[in-house]
Amino acid sequence: GLNYEIPSKYLQYGNEILNTTNWVFDGVTTDYPLIDQAGDSYTPVNDQQLIVAVNGLVQVPGIDYTISGTTIIFNTASSA
């Protein structure tokens, strides 16, 4: 089962939308930086804190992707 960790009180009622405009799905790259809209690096508490969709398909944390610091690492490189 998934274990969604409850964020600190100041984060509970807001969502952070990350900037993915520089991500290029070339069928080779699997690692992408997590950057917020202000251009700052974003470090989630764990991979289950994110909701990630690629081509409209929601990805499963820990299976389809993992987090390492400020980087998301997809299990499979997408070419979409």
Side-chain angles (χ1 to χ4, degrees):
L2 296 178
N3 181 13
Y4 290 101
E5 187 172 323
I6 297 173
S8 300
K9 196 70 160 170
Y10 73 95
L11 292 175
Q12 286 184 348
Y13 301 107
N15 295 319
E16 183 75 42
I17 298 174
L18 301 178
N19 184 347
T20 60
T21 57
N22 292 327
W23 292 10
V24 177
F25 293 111
D26 56 9
V28 176
T29 305
T30 56
D31 299 16
Y32 297 92
L34 298 173
I35 307 292
D36 66 17
Q37 295 295 315
D40 299 321
S41 294
Y42 178 75
T43 306
V45 174
N46 59 42
D47 56 4
Q48 296 174 5
Q49 187 179 14
L50 301 177
I51 298 173
V52 177
V54 176
N55 293 328
L57 298 173
V58 175
Q59 306 296 293
V60 179
I63 295 174
D64 296 320
Y65 69 90
T66 57
I67 300 299
S68 177
T70 62
T71 302
I72 185 170
I73 305 162
F74 290 97
N75 187 37
T76 304
S78 178
S79 60

